[in-house]
Amino acid sequence: MKINFTNSVAREAKMAACSPDGCEVVLGADGGGITIGQVKEAGKRYLVGDIEVLEDHSVAMMFRCFLPGEDQERIFMRFGLLPRFKTRICLDLHLLDNRTIFTNRTPGTLKLVVHGQRTELGSVERFELGMEKAFHDVRVRFEHFHLTDQMPTDFPLPRTKLVDEFGQWKGKDWPGKIHSLAELKERLEANEGPAEYPFPEWNEWGGDRTRQLKEGTGYFSTFKSEDGRWHLVDPSGCDYFSLGPCGTNPGDQCRVDSFEDLCDWLPETDDPDFGEFYKIGTTRRAAYMPLDSFKIIRFTALNMKKAYGERWHEKWEEISHHILMKNGINSQGNFPGLGMASGRTRLPYVRELPNFPTTDTLIFRDFPDVLSPEYKEKAEQYARQLSAWKDDPWLIGYFLRNEPEFNFVEGLAIADEVLHNPAQTHCRSGLIAFLKSAYTTIEELNLAWDSAFESFSELEKPIYSCSTTYPKSKPDIRKFSAHLIREYIKVPSLACRAVDSNHLNLGLRWSKAYNLDMMEGWEYFDVFSINCYDFDPTRDMDFVQHARVDLPILLGEYHCGALDRGLPATGLKGVPDQEERGVMWRHFVEKVAAHPYGVGAHWFQYNDQFCLGRYDGENYQIGMVDICMQPYPELMEAARETSRVLYQVKNGEAMPYGKLPKSVPMIGY
């Protein structure tokens, strides 16, 4: 069924041209859009069409679903598009059930995410296609939209060259862009040097040797001082604040399947010199997602080998250590890779324990059946991986996992999902037993909940959003949800402690601190970790502290990006230029250090992402170095200045950096 654009209504947008088959629209900077009719009436699964962004940067597009009488969308899909590059999109309307936040990529489309609350298609009054807020009005062309039950097999891409031989965006020039192999070699050689900290009071770990907090244990540990401040302590017993980038690998993953013709040069997969840099295979990002095939290459590694030949990895380690340490970076954040396999690292690191335990039946998204024997058994298998790491003094600690996907649903009560899921899970049995204990008869429960169940066995049937359907059930639903979160954390944490008592359990890297349920189980961690994509982390840190979590707090991810140096998207926080990226670094890190519970801040990430997207389509200008291993001088200078005063700020002897960064709306997905 074709979409007739002459029936579309603009909101915060202007129709520049329109016909039944397509339209050109100027979308307002506040996030304008146009209605897409016929979606509900057609009863089809997929909305398919071609979009071209008529600007010089990527755009975060939005497919919004509004309920009657509501001004805020109930659920939306956000996805990225490359500039001036006609792309066929395919939106799966079944995703309105909110079963996933992520999807596999289709050719040309960048990362797609789903946010909001579970929504029935038939309850939606208005479907709108538009964009996220931007820093200016944006011109976009929509064509050939239709509704279908068949997933398209054809995703045509324009035949144009977007990527040069070094992996850089061809569409613009900028200071620091590499134009020849000779220039690349010269720039890389200028960044060679020793792995040394610039501050005489810093010891080999990057701790402050003048601030001995306790006797060293030979491993990293924690300490709470008499003034109520939490600290990390290095293996020699000195005050240690963990500061550094995530993803310290020789370049980010550059996904090139379907994009081969857009690149000026790619080696053959069997090339004897460069074929080693390909990674080709299949992956399943989450247990409930379909298998995805990929072809990935690391342009940074390619560039290093072009410059240094067989010694490329050794030189990459040398240059990386030099760049980071001379600017006061003393840690590797999650996804580390600098010198670890070779045993030559000079930077303490954190890492994520892979393959977090799951169960064959999932409650919601990636939340396992945590009361099952299967969960305990798999947790013990998972923990045994720590035996290979337990004697490494450079390992600060381990994350149990990264950003549980169920937590992206605001206000989620996992016990609601236990009852919504038709499966007869151990969690469901546990919830029914909990209610039988609290209410000895079904009549007592009905009186408390204002419900009309005939027996407890009715709770074995699916209930749509119990705490909404029966508002008086909410206290019980919340209490049992907290119990399930605690078990989710307790079971693997105890298994890990039994294998490795040397290293710190750094928690789950929660995606956001806003749900009190997610503060449960903190007593099984040594450090509480959250990722925070705000310019100021204080609010999130205060939330954790005020939830009576008495632990050091580590900020596992933060960043910002700008459009002035070669990539078409800013990432999850946007600033006008590189100078403001430096301001953001100083403001954020020093706010973390000044907080009495703050013990670390890890920038995401070391490398810029690929202009055409990493494995899932993120293409952000967020690196400390670009794809040719050139450090961003403005960011590095800011890092060095913060590190110069880091331990004074941490201990209340100096005020944190007061200047706020200038912000622009993000281009991120």
Side-chain angles (χ1 to χ4, degrees), residues 10-26:
R11 181 189 62 81
E12 298 288 338
K14 295 179 181 179
M15 293 281 197
C18 190
S19 70
D21 197 43
C23 62
E24 191 170 303
V25 185
V26 179

Side-chain angles (χ1 to χ4, degrees), residues 118-386:
R118 181 184 290 115
T119 304
E120 297 284 350
L121 181 70
S123 67
V124 179
E125 179 182 62
R126 185 169 90 254
F127 298 90
E128 185 181 279
L129 191 59
M131 71 171 187
E132 182 69 274
K133 287 185 178 181
F135 56 94
H136 65 95
D137 295 350
V138 168
R139 187 174 291 262
V140 178
R141 183 180 295 127
F142 301 115
E143 293 179 324
H144 311 127
F145 270 73
H146 61 281
L147 293 153
T148 176
D149 277 328
Q150 299 299 315
M151 174 81 173
T153 57
D154 185 24
F155 290 87
L157 299 177
R159 299 185 65 84
T160 182
K161 297 296 184 183
L162 299 181
V163 181
D164 71 14
E165 63 179 303
F166 302 109
Q168 301 170 118
W169 182 254
K170 286 175 63 83
K172 64 187 295 186
D173 205 354
W174 61 88
K177 187 174 186 179
I178 297 298
H179 300 91
S180 69
L181 181 56
E183 186 179 14
L184 174 65
K185 290 180 178 179
E186 180 183 354
R187 297 276 187 84
L188 289 171
E189 289 171 1
N191 285 314
E192 296 174 3
E196 296 174 351
Y197 294 120
F199 315 119
E201 67 274 20
W202 283 27
N203 61 22
E204 63 176 316
W205 311 103
D208 188 337
R209 69 175 80 250
T210 69
R211 300 176 188 271
Q212 186 86 20
L213 296 180
K214 64 181 185 179
E215 186 177 348
T217 65
Y219 297 95
F220 286 87
S221 59
T222 63
F223 179 78
K224 193 173 188 180
S225 53
E226 291 183 0
D227 61 1
R229 295 178 189 271
W230 274 107
H231 302 260
L232 291 180
V233 180
D234 70 26
S236 61
C238 296
D239 198 4
Y240 179 83
F241 186 94
S242 180
L243 180 61
C246 302
T248 46
N249 294 290
D252 202 18
Q253 302 177 74
C254 307
R255 188 161 182 179
V256 294
D257 46 289
S258 78
F259 285 148
E260 290 93 339
D261 291 341
L262 308 183
C263 301
D264 277 350
W265 175 81
L266 285 172
E268 297 297 325
T269 55
D270 59 355
D271 186 294
D273 293 317
F274 301 111
E276 64 178 299
F277 300 118
Y278 277 112
K279 183 179 179 182
I280 301 172
T282 58
T283 186
R284 197 182 304 275
R285 180 164 183 176
Y288 54 84
M289 288 178 64
L291 205 63
D292 192 22
S293 300
F294 63 82
K295 181 180 183 182
I296 284 169
I297 198 163
R298 290 188 189 269
F299 268 104
T300 300
L302 277 175
N303 292 334
M304 292 296 295
K305 190 166 186 181
K306 287 177 184 178
Y308 289 107
E310 295 302 321
R311 297 176 61 227
W312 75 268
H313 198 275
E314 176 187 339
K315 298 302 291 187
W316 174 79
E317 286 188 0
E318 175 191 332
I319 290 170
S320 293
H321 274 116
H322 176 65
I323 288 172
L324 293 171
M325 293 176 69
K326 80 169 185 176
N327 289 295
I329 301 301
N330 67 356
S331 297
Q332 300 181 67
N334 204 19
F335 321 115
L338 181 52
M340 293 165 50
S342 64
R344 293 193 295 268
T345 189
R346 297 288 305 279
L347 286 169
Y349 65 96
V350 299
R351 68 188 305 179
E352 181 183 331
L353 194 58
N355 303 313
F356 187 84
T358 187
T359 53
D360 290 342
T361 300
L362 296 170
I363 301 300
F364 172 70
R365 293 189 177 177
D366 53 356
F367 193 86
D369 190 3
V370 296
L371 301 185
S372 68
E374 180 190 6
Y375 185 62
K376 186 174 186 295
E377 178 184 342
K378 289 187 176 178
E380 291 169 352
Q381 295 172 5
Y382 157 85
R384 286 197 284 270
Q385 299 174 99
L386 280 169

